Amino acid sequence: MQIIQLYIEGQRVDMFKDESVSITQSIQNVKDIGKIFTDFTKTFSVPASKTNNKIFKHYYNFDIIDGFDARIKKSANIELNNLPFRNGKIKLEGVDLKNNTPHTYRITFFGSTVTLKDLLGEDKLQSLDLTDHDKVYSNTDVRSALSFDPENEDVIVPLISQKRLFYDSGSHTDSGQGNLYYDTGHTQDLHGVLWSDLKYAIRVDVILQAIKNKYNLTFSNDFLNASNEHYYNLFMWLHRKKGAVENLTGVNQSIINGWTGTIGDYNDTLTKMASSTTLRVAGTPTEYLAYSLDLNSTTTSTYKVSLQKDGVEVFNTGNVTNSVTIDQSDFDIEQGDYTVYIESDTDITFTLIRWDIEYRVAQGEPLATATYSIAPYSHTSFFAFAISQQIPEMKTIDFLTGIFKMFNLTAFVDKNTDDIIVKTLDDFYSDGNSYDITKYVDVNKSSVNIALPYKEINFHHDDTKTFLASKHNQLFGKVWGKESYIGGEKLDGSIYNVKTPFSQLKYERLVNLANGGTTTVQVGYFVDDNQEDYFGKPLLFYPIRQSTNTTTISFLTNETTHVQQTVYNIPSNSIALARSTSKKNMNFFAETNEYTGGGDFTDTLFEMYYKNYITSVFNPKNRISKVTAYLPLRILLNYSLADRFIINGSSYKINSITTNLENGKSEIELLNDL
């Protein structure tokens, strides 16, 4: 028998002597392939002892001020016989009373990966600090970014538009600006791609790094690294709304950048400058006794101040001149990241901009004070392409889940470092050890069941409703990029869908309409099947720089001037244009490559990251074996879900395991290690 020790935020919890605590673990369950799992226990009870009442702050008494907040999971860890077992979170489910006296607290333990969902909550990508990558939106800046090298630049412009682009060297007239042919002989006839029909795109890894920085996370670089081109070369198109890019405030704005400050003795975790642009507010909102933002200026020009929390405006001054103060009468402070924008069509100079904050740490303690300032600050009037305002509206957790689904990534927390280890499922299983548990298995009870609950598993991106992708479906009766795996047989069961939350375009390599010759130009046409402006899901793609022996294209700097563009970024579903360079792509099915016309770009997402696991699941020899085993402490404390269990000489992967921590009794689902 093991002694179970539970600690909540470092405080040991009193346990019932006869209380059973069972923990369930699964890293990838054949019954629910598309989910990322975490350890969890069934709800169990602990006594309402003096110690536990102190830990849970007499939760049954709702009149207590600043009591235990059961809405938030608390850090916890479990030990067995004083040896570390699992770190994670505890959620208080409720209190049971007998004769109006508290008797038990009901709690549930979750593994550490649940922290991701708790931390990210409902936050959206727009709440991330991406200001270091903001751009000016002008014809010269867009043209430069169109030729940036994606190997060295994190923000580029691709040839993706909501205007139809084509190439016709036989036409010398203005054909609705979409003709990319650059006519040196007829300079008076303007056509090409208009600069304002293009939008920036940002490297996916930059978004991931911003997530890590904001939430103080550490992901391992087993997969998420710069040398992994299948991941690192991915970009997200910054498409927030239908049609052309708009300054979403309607005026030119700049984010206040360059805050410096001092932090009071008690204030280091309550407010801080998370970056040169961002004030991070923690603590309890009601304990912020005073807070103000002062902007000192002698300008007679009108301007506005926009205060934003997590990328959403919470207060706007409207038109003001001279100096202005924003304080608690204007907005209620809450936990989150605050940024300040100046909006004006003219240049404005401020002699001083300053945050002043007072916080009460505890009754009887001195007030914690913080001051953050900039002196001086100048607002320069231009159309700033603020990435946080132009990035697709998407929950941060959905973005991460989408990346994990694309590459069949598995996440677990290193119990020694608290780092989140991210690996492909194949790599995860390749690192496992083996434990022979034959002598611990209860031979009186076991079962062998069918492993496959599905007749078909579909893998696809959520949005393939754009014009050419829709046409593909109509012509071939198949969703663009979708893999439907049936194992070559007609089976019984249901259909399971593994679906990412992203868009996927079918791109078009342009031919010269005058002579049928191919060009080096490939474009994305982001419209619906009626060729009207389309919003859609966030679009991921691989930009490829065309810089040698390229077809020259025409770039319209305005509606009366065009210039010759010899270097440009084309969008692609594959990371290279030649299979000899790379066959990797972001399709789940090996579609005909849009640029080469060949079907030999076979390193699909399914082929590289799902095939081994799925084919083993569909293997007619595969079974789910259910056994009961009484595992000793040396195995309970050391095994991982990457390990194999050996029974009578046969090797098995762990599909799921539920263990009674008191006696080591484990109900184990095992998959043949085929």
Side-chain angles (χ1 to χ4, degrees):
M1 301 291 285
Q2 278 78 242
I3 299 174
I4 305 170
Q5 291 121 343
L6 172 65
Y7 295 86
I8 298 178
E9 296 184 332
Q11 301 177 79
R12 183 170 174 176
V13 178
D14 290 339
M15 305 288 290
F16 284 120
K17 291 183 179 180
D18 58 350
E19 182 69 20
S20 175
V21 180
S22 294
I23 188 166
T24 298
Q25 299 169 270
S26 183
I27 201 75
Q28 177 131 8
N29 195 312
V30 67
K31 301 169 187 174
D32 208 351
I33 295 162
K35 286 189 177 179
I36 299 169
F37 292 88
T38 189
D39 306 341
F40 64 93
T41 65
K42 293 181 180 179
T43 298
F44 61 95
S45 298
V46 296
S49 63
K50 289 183 178 180
T51 296
N52 292 350
N53 285 336
K54 182 178 179 181
I55 292 173
F56 296 111
K57 298 182 179 179
H58 300 272
Y59 184 74
Y60 52 88
N61 184 353
F62 50 78
D63 289 326
I64 293 178
I65 299 174
D66 294 331
F68 190 90
D69 191 346
R71 300 170 301 173
I72 301 172
K73 297 182 181 73
K74 307 296 183 181
S75 297
N77 60 286
I78 296 174
E79 293 182 356
L80 299 180
N81 293 356
N82 296 304
L83 296 172
F85 177 66
R86 290 291 182 272
N87 297 327
K89 295 278 186 176
I90 278 288
K91 184 176 188 296
L92 175 61
E93 305 289 355
V95 189
D96 293 328
L97 289 79
K98 291 185 178 181
N99 298 320
N100 290 325
T101 301
H103 181 266
T104 57
Y105 291 95
R106 288 176 281 109
I107 58 179
T108 306
F109 176 87
F110 297 90
S112 294
T113 51
V114 77
T115 303
L116 273 178
K117 190 172 182 180
D118 288 339
L119 280 176
L120 304 181
E122 299 296 307
D123 290 357
K124 296 181 179 180
L125 295 181
Q126 67 196 59
S127 71
L128 300 174
D129 184 0
L130 297 166
T131 52
D132 287 346
H133 302 277
D134 287 349
K135 298 292 181 182
V136 174
Y137 194 66
S138 68
N139 56 32
T140 55
D141 291 276
V142 169
R143 185 187 178 198
S144 295
L146 183 61
S147 63
F148 283 170
D149 187 349
E151 289 190 8
N152 305 316
E153 298 286 344
D154 292 328
V155 179
I156 55 96
V157 168
L159 281 173
I160 301 174
S161 174
Q162 294 192 297
K163 297 286 181 65
R164 188 63 186 264
L165 302 177
F166 61 96
Y167 193 94
D168 186 358
S169 65
S171 174
H172 306 297
T173 59
D174 181 355
S175 304
Q177 299 176 341
N179 185 3
L180 295 181
Y181 170 65
Y182 182 79
D183 186 3
T184 57
H186 298 78
T187 56
Q188 74 279 9
D189 297 324
L190 295 173
H191 43 74
V193 57
L194 183 63
W195 75 274
S196 57
D197 287 337
L198 300 176
K199 300 180 180 183
Y200 289 104
I202 189 169
R203 191 183 303 278
V204 163
D205 186 67
V206 170
I207 302 174
L208 182 79
Q209 299 305 320
I211 294 171
K212 290 168 58 177
N213 292 337
K214 176 172 181 178
Y215 301 100
N216 196 27
L217 297 171
T218 301
F219 293 110
S220 72
N221 61 1
D222 297 86
F223 184 87
L224 304 172
N225 61 74
S227 61
N228 178 8
E229 58 188 3
H230 214 169
Y231 157 74
Y232 192 73
N233 288 16
L234 272 177
F235 277 67
M236 176 183 281
W237 193 42
L238 296 171
H239 174 66
R240 185 67 170 268
K241 59 175 289 296
K242 294 180 180 181
V245 174
E246 286 185 5
N247 189 337
L248 299 182
T249 64
V251 296
N252 293 337
Q253 67 173 200
S254 64
I255 188 170
I256 295 180
N257 192 340
W259 294 99
T260 59
T262 57
I263 300 177
D265 292 340
Y266 302 91
N267 208 32
D268 56 333
T269 61
L270 303 177
T271 66
K272 65 178 181 180
M273 277 295 156
S275 71
S276 60
T277 62
T278 305
L279 171 70
R280 180 160 297 163
V281 173
T284 305
T286 55
E287 299 303 325
Y288 282 89
L289 303 183
Y291 49 91
S292 64
L293 173 67
D294 293 294
L295 300 97
N296 297 338
S297 178
T298 58
T299 183
T300 57
S301 300
T302 59
Y303 67 94
K304 298 178 182 178
V305 182
S306 172
L307 179 61
Q308 300 189 6
K309 174 185 169 291
D310 295 331
V312 178
E313 185 174 81
V314 293
F315 180 73
N316 193 300
T317 61
N319 286 329
V320 293
T321 58
N322 300 311
S323 299
V324 65
T325 296
I326 301 170
D327 57 26
Q328 56 260 49
S329 65
D330 299 309
F331 75 101
D332 294 324
I333 201 165
E334 296 177 349
Q335 292 184 4
D337 286 352
Y338 287 82
T339 50
V340 185
Y341 288 83
I342 304 299
E343 303 172 352
S344 179
D345 291 329
T346 58
D347 295 349
I348 306 289
T349 298
F350 297 87
T351 56
L352 175 67
I353 303 177
R354 185 181 65 230
W355 277 107
D356 287 303
I357 299 169
E358 292 184 359
Y359 184 88
R360 180 174 56 201
V361 178
Q363 293 289 345
E365 297 284 358
L367 290 179
T369 62
T371 300
Y372 310 97
S373 61
I374 299 176
Y377 173 78
S378 295
H379 161 77
T380 303
S381 177
F382 55 74
F383 187 167
F385 190 96
I387 290 177
S388 62
Q389 295 183 8
Q390 302 290 348
I391 200 167
E393 190 164 347
M394 183 182 206
K395 289 182 182 179
T396 306
I397 189 66
D398 291 343
F399 166 81
L400 275 181
T401 302
I403 298 299
F404 276 51
K405 284 186 177 181
M406 282 184 67
F407 300 106
N408 198 14
L409 299 178
T410 288
F412 60 97
V413 176
D414 187 301
K415 62 183 179 181
N416 297 316
T417 66
D418 285 336
D419 292 351
I420 299 174
I421 310 300
V422 180
K423 296 183 177 183
T424 66
L425 188 64
D426 288 345
D427 286 346
F428 172 76
Y429 279 128
S430 69
D431 290 340
N433 300 310
S434 294
Y435 293 92
D436 192 327
I437 65 169
T438 304
K439 64 181 180 180
Y440 308 116
V441 173
D442 183 352
V443 296
N444 296 315
K445 180 184 178 182
S446 64
S447 63
V448 179
N449 304 305
I450 183 172
L452 181 67
Y454 310 109
K455 65 180 179 180
E456 178 180 335
I457 303 180
N458 296 319
F459 301 85
H460 59 104
H461 300 289
D462 187 21
D463 184 3
T464 53
K465 299 181 180 67
T466 49
F467 180 68
L468 290 180
S470 295
K471 288 294 182 185
H472 179 91
N473 194 3
Q474 295 167 17
L475 290 172
F476 302 104
K478 179 188 173 301
V479 174
W480 172 250
K482 178 181 177 180
E483 173 70 62
S484 297
Y485 190 84
I486 59 174
E489 300 177 272
K490 292 184 178 180
L491 304 172
D492 295 327
S494 58
I495 297 175
Y496 189 97
N497 288 293
V498 177
K499 180 173 63 176
T500 80
F502 303 120
S503 283
Q504 186 182 27
L505 284 181
K506 183 175 183 179
Y507 299 105
E508 179 183 16
R509 184 178 183 179
L510 300 184
V511 299
N512 189 339
L513 299 179
N515 55 31
T518 56
T519 72
T520 59
V521 185
Q522 182 162 283
V523 299
Y525 188 31
F526 204 86
V527 294
D528 62 21
D529 56 359
N530 293 317
Q531 301 191 63
E532 296 178 353
D533 288 351
Y534 182 59
F535 178 61
K537 301 285 185 176
L539 173 66
L540 303 188
F541 69 99
Y542 294 108
I544 298 177
R545 189 172 186 250
Q546 299 286 59
S547 59
T548 57
N549 301 318
T550 58
T551 305
T552 297
I553 66 173
S554 178
F555 182 90
L556 288 164
T557 58
N558 53 52
E559 295 185 355
T560 60
T561 306
H562 67 168
V563 293
Q564 189 176 34
Q565 189 83 10
T566 57
V567 179
Y568 43 84
N569 285 302
I570 65 171
S572 173
N573 284 312
S574 58
I575 67 173
L577 299 181
R579 71 178 301 275
S580 58
T581 302
S582 176
K583 297 183 288 183
K584 295 176 182 176
N585 59 82
M586 61 172 291
N587 300 321
F588 285 101
F589 178 79
E591 299 284 5
T592 299
N593 185 271
E594 300 101 302
Y595 193 85
T596 67
D600 47 5
F601 285 73
T602 53
D603 288 345
T604 63
L605 296 176
F606 175 80
E607 186 73 20
M608 295 196 68
Y609 305 108
Y610 281 95
K611 184 177 180 179
N612 287 342
Y613 183 78
I614 297 301
T615 53
S616 70
V617 169
F618 272 77
N619 190 315
K621 294 181 179 180
N622 205 355
R623 305 287 189 275
I624 286 185
S625 299
K626 294 185 178 182
V627 301
T628 300
Y630 290 84
L631 300 178
L633 199 58
R634 67 174 182 84
I635 294 179
L636 284 178
L637 293 176
N638 294 296
Y639 83 89
S640 81
L641 294 172
D643 296 334
R644 269 69 166 178
F645 283 164
I646 308 297
I647 303 176
N648 294 324
S650 296
S651 177
Y652 300 88
K653 293 178 180 176
I654 304 169
N655 190 57
S656 69
I657 178 170
T658 299
T659 301
N660 184 313
L661 300 183
E662 187 177 23
N663 58 22
K665 182 180 179 181
S666 299
E667 304 294 340
I668 313 172
E669 288 189 346
L670 299 167
L671 287 171
N672 308 41
D673 191 9
L674 297 173

